[in-house]
Amino acid sequence: MTRTTPFRNCLAAVGLLLACTAAPLGHAMDVDLDVDGKPEEACLNTEKTMRMLMNIWANNATETYASAKPELEQELAKHGERGTKILDVFHTIIPRMEANEFLPPNVISRYEGHQKLRAATHEACMKALRV
């Protein structure tokens, strides 16, 4: 019987993450905005998508990232006025993400960065959908 070391667990997790980010996006960019008019749910889904984009960005999956942004815009265009408002949120947050505002050394850890990204995305999203 082989013992699993923390190092092996870490390698397996990194391998899984790389496999996920290298996979074709397909439905990965599907931001679910059709949530019975509930802005909180739409914003939660927007946060999840933004965090996924940050993972792609932070792991230097440049080809995946380059295809993710246009795919995101195409998906949001299918959601009419609400999609346009959410697209403005992405256009506000993405430059901050690309400036590494939510990644170390600008934050203590990636966890903290994800929390700050979620908070910034949520605030911008709620403002956009409450107008």
Side-chain angles (χ1 to χ4, degrees):
M1 182 157 104
T2 308
R3 287 181 35 175
T4 303
T5 65
F7 180 72
R8 285 186 185 168
N9 288 340
C10 182
L11 284 177
V14 168
L16 181 60
L17 179 60
L18 290 175
C20 289
T21 58
L25 293 175
H27 295 291
M29 288 287 115
D30 184 20
V31 181
D32 184 8
L33 299 179
D34 300 321
V35 287
D36 300 324
K38 298 176 186 173
E40 296 82 5
E41 291 294 321
C43 290
L44 178 62
N45 293 333
T46 302
E47 292 170 37
K48 289 176 184 176
T49 302
M50 193 68 227
R51 288 182 60 226
M52 185 191 69
L53 274 178
M54 187 166 96
N55 280 330
I56 295 169
W57 172 259
N59 288 308
N60 292 319
T62 53
E63 289 179 26
T64 304
Y65 186 75
S67 67
K69 287 173 64 175
E71 186 176 326
L72 176 64
E73 290 182 0
Q74 290 172 353
E75 283 297 317
L76 289 172
K78 296 175 186 176
H79 292 280
E81 182 182 346
R82 188 175 252 195
T84 301
K85 289 178 180 180
I86 297 300
L87 185 57
D88 288 342
V89 171
F90 281 102
H91 286 162
T92 300
I93 301 295
I94 285 176
R96 294 172 62 188
M97 181 196 71
E98 290 175 346
N100 293 325
E101 179 179 331
F102 306 107
L103 291 172
N106 295 320
V107 292
I108 294 172
S109 65
R110 293 229 356 215
Y111 173 79
E112 180 189 3
H114 274 277
Q115 296 308 311
K116 286 186 175 194
L117 175 70
R118 288 182 70 193
T121 302
H122 186 78
E123 181 180 343
C125 182
M126 290 301 287
K127 282 182 184 176
L129 294 183
R130 295 248 186 230
V131 173

